[in-house]
């Protein structure tokens, strides 16, 4: 049977986020009480006015196929959103809708990569980027960023990574897993490098766009470098911003040549995104945005509390993230310590499993994001769960021996 499967699967791992969810579900089914810090979605329901729009679409008979690239109404809503929130001008024909942002990224890579083509991916990266490149016969070029630069790619690193086989640079801002947000000046500096390499396209994943805190604000790269629009794909969606992960609506905005290629792939794979979900997404984008502001305020309070509690635990350290809803926690201070059972913690994976097995706290190892000695912890959960989980972590860390 193994010989029947394509060799390209050898380069792909199970998504760590999916694996973490399965592990948590299994432990809970066995009766364990688990505090889940792996959550990659808002923990509250889709706002009621959006749900009602989905129900209305059902009652109105909007249950048939749509165009492969999305309904005219949703494409127009996306165009309006890009103008309103990002001051970017697109035509309906330069927008495409998929079953989540992930599908848009995958199809864009399928449409543009030939065997051996390179895609620059800075660490820490969203776990699916390298695997999606590999599945499309490309070569992920992993560039390690540093805490000193806020886990952001520098112009010098970008210049050094570009070769004649480079096809894409992937930027994720705000970042999963660090919450890092590129400033206008930082984006301008990267854009200047890209201007010297006209064959390199920019894929900017802005799915966490609305989750920025304090005085920091998300900036879309094209807002500061509009001349790159002819070779940029903006990826976004309503999953995070409007608590609609299960509705599976993401979108891309790009030159028509790429949008048409993505539409072709959608037409031959999933046909179209759910008609009902698309109707609900129109309301999400065109309707009142108070729900988004409320979510940001809620996450801000959780963010501050989690960082405060984690930094009080010896051996753990983390900065206050500027965006998204994750804390990227250094566990370097625990590496080399020994558990009460005599096991030595030699890696972030060991620390992750120790926390899960002894504290009942689920996290995701930083190695899965290309950045060892860290853990990703989500604050998309209640303050109560954050406090319970952090107390449990403090307790089991206190039991470690040097």
């Amino acid at each position: 049977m193994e010989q029947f499967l394509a060799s390209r699967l050898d380069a792909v791992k199970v998504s760590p986020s999916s694996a973490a969810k399965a592990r948590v579900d299994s432990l809970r089914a066995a009766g364990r009480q688990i505090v889940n810090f792996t959550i990659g979605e808002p923990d509250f329901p889709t706002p009621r006015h959006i749900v009602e729009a989905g129900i209305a679409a059902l009652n109105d008979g909007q249950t048939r196929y749509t165009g492969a690239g999305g309904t005219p109404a949703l494409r127009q809503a996306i165009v309006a959103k890009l103008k309103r929130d990002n001051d970017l001008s697109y035509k309906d024909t330069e927008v495409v809708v998929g079953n989540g942002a992930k599908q848009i990224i995958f199809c864009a890579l399928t449409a543009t990569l030939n065997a051996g083509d390179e895609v620059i991916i800075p660490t820490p990266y969203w776990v699916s980027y390298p695997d999606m490149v590999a599945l499309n016969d490309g070569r992920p070029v992993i560039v390690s960023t540093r805490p000193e630069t806020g886990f952001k790619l520098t112009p010098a690193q970008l210049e050094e990574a570009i070769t004649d086989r480079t096809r894409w640079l992937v930027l994720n801002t705000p970042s999963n897993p660090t919450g890092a947000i590129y400033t206008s000046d930082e984006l301008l500096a990267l854009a200047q490098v890209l201007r010297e390499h006209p064959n390199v396209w920019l894929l900017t994943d802005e799915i966490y766009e609305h989750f920025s805190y304090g005085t920091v604000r998300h900036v879309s790269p094209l807002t500061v470098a509009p001349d790159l629009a002819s070779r940029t794909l903006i990826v976004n969606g309503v999953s995070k911003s409007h608590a609609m992960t299960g509705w599976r609506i993401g979108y891309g905005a790009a030159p028509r040549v790429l949008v048409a290629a993505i539409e072709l792939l959608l037409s031959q794979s999933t046909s179209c995104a759910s008609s009902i979900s698309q109707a609900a997404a129109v309301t999400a984008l065109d309707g009142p945005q108070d729900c988004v502001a409320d979510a940001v305020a809620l996450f801000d309070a959780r963010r501050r509390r989690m960082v405060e509690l984690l930094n009080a635990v010896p051996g753990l350290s983390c900065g206050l993230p500027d965006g998204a809803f994750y804390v990227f926690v250094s566990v370097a201070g625990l590496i080399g310590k020994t558990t009460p059972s005599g096991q030595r913690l030699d890696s972030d994976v060991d620390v992750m499993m120790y926390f899960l097995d002894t504290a009942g706290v689920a996290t995701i190892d930083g190695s899965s994001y290309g950045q060892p000695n860290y853990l990703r912890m989500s604050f998309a959960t209640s303050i109560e769960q954050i406090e319970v989980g952090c107390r449990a972590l403090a307790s089991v860390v206190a039991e470690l021996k040097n």
Side-chain angles (χ1 to χ4, degrees):
M1 177 58 73
E2 289 183 359
Q3 294 178 346
F4 174 74
L5 300 177
S7 59
R8 70 174 63 91
L9 294 179
D10 296 339
V12 180
K13 306 177 293 298
V14 174
S15 164
S17 300
S18 298
K21 184 181 186 304
R23 187 164 61 245
V24 169
D25 291 345
S26 176
L27 289 169
R28 284 175 171 169
R32 287 284 305 276
Q33 295 294 316
I34 303 295
V35 175
N36 189 4
F37 287 161
T38 73
I39 301 168
E41 60 183 347
D43 60 319
F44 38 82
T46 304
R48 191 65 205 170
H49 70 286
I50 300 173
V51 174
E52 293 291 348
I55 294 171
L58 281 168
N59 289 331
D60 290 345
Q62 297 183 42
T63 56
R64 299 183 179 277
Y65 292 125
T66 75
T71 64
L74 181 51
R75 289 173 122 170
Q76 290 164 13
I78 293 166
V79 167
K81 179 267 169 216
L82 290 168
K83 186 63 178 177
R84 179 185 70 232
D85 295 346
N86 310 108
D87 196 25
L88 299 176
S89 298
Y90 282 90
K91 301 174 183 177
D92 296 6
T93 54
E94 296 171 322
V95 168
V96 59
V97 177
N99 292 280
K102 181 182 286 189
Q103 186 179 37
I104 298 297
I105 296 171
F106 191 93
C107 287
L109 296 174
T110 302
T112 58
L113 294 183
N114 291 310
D117 284 347
E118 297 174 353
V119 177
I120 297 172
I121 304 172
T123 68
Y125 45 71
W126 177 49
V127 294
S128 292
Y129 295 143
D131 288 324
M132 289 195 286
V133 171
L135 270 173
N136 286 291
D137 296 325
R139 188 173 83 86
V141 176
I142 306 302
V143 179
S144 297
T145 66
R146 299 182 301 276
E148 295 78 23
T149 62
F151 292 116
K152 300 176 190 178
L153 182 71
T154 67
Q157 287 179 308
L158 175 58
E159 180 65 53
E160 184 178 2
I162 293 175
T163 73
D164 58 1
R165 296 305 303 267
T166 305
R167 295 294 171 264
W168 289 96
L169 164 65
V170 176
L171 282 186
N172 179 206
T173 178
S175 163
N176 172 10
T178 68
I181 297 178
Y182 285 82
T183 66
S184 295
D185 287 344
E186 289 165 342
L187 292 171
L188 279 170
L190 294 175
Q192 186 55 41
V193 175
L194 291 176
R195 291 183 180 113
E196 301 299 318
H197 301 276
N199 292 326
V200 179
W201 280 55
L202 172 63
L203 191 162
T204 172
D205 182 349
E206 305 179 25
I207 195 71
Y208 293 96
E209 168 188 15
H210 292 291
F211 296 108
S212 61
Y213 309 105
T215 59
V216 180
R217 289 293 175 266
H218 164 76
V219 179
S220 180
L222 290 188
T223 303
V224 298
D227 57 300
L228 296 182
S230 62
R231 50 185 169 118
T232 294
L233 169 64
I234 296 175
V235 178
N236 210 323
V238 293
S239 290
K240 315 293 185 179
S241 57
H242 294 82
M244 295 178 68
T245 51
W247 297 76
R248 305 311 304 131
I249 295 293
Y251 58 85
R256 178 59 193 167
V257 62
L258 179 58
V259 165
I262 293 173
E263 287 177 353
L264 173 64
L265 292 169
L266 293 174
S267 74
Q268 295 291 3
S269 54
T270 53
S271 294
C272 63
S274 161
S275 57
I276 301 135
S277 296
Q278 290 190 65
V282 172
T283 294
L285 294 176
D286 280 350
Q289 301 300 305
D290 297 359
C291 57
V292 179
D294 291 345
V296 172
L298 180 65
F299 283 140
D300 189 14
R302 294 172 174 183
R303 168 186 76 121
R304 293 179 180 278
R305 184 59 173 152
M306 178 175 260
V307 168
E308 175 188 14
L309 292 172
L310 289 172
N311 280 328
V313 179
L316 302 183
S317 65
C318 57
L320 197 63
D322 288 329
F325 40 70
Y326 309 105
V327 175
F328 205 51
V329 186
S330 172
V331 296
L334 303 184
I335 304 300
K337 291 186 178 294
T338 304
T339 70
S341 66
Q343 178 196 359
R344 178 183 161 92
L345 301 178
D346 289 323
S347 69
D348 53 312
V349 175
D350 290 343
V351 175
M352 174 187 70
M353 294 308 300
Y354 176 65
F355 285 172
L356 181 61
D357 293 340
T358 61
V361 176
T363 62
I364 302 181
D365 60 285
S367 294
S368 292
Y369 299 88
Q371 203 82 29
N373 295 338
Y374 286 82
L375 297 179
R376 191 196 80 167
M377 301 187 193
S378 168
F379 50 87
T381 189
S382 68
I383 288 281
E384 292 75 18
Q385 283 291 286
I386 289 171
E387 292 179 342
V388 168
C390 289
R391 281 199 301 268
L393 294 182
S395 177
V396 299
V397 167
E399 296 177 356
L400 293 173
K401 302 173 184 176
N402 291 320

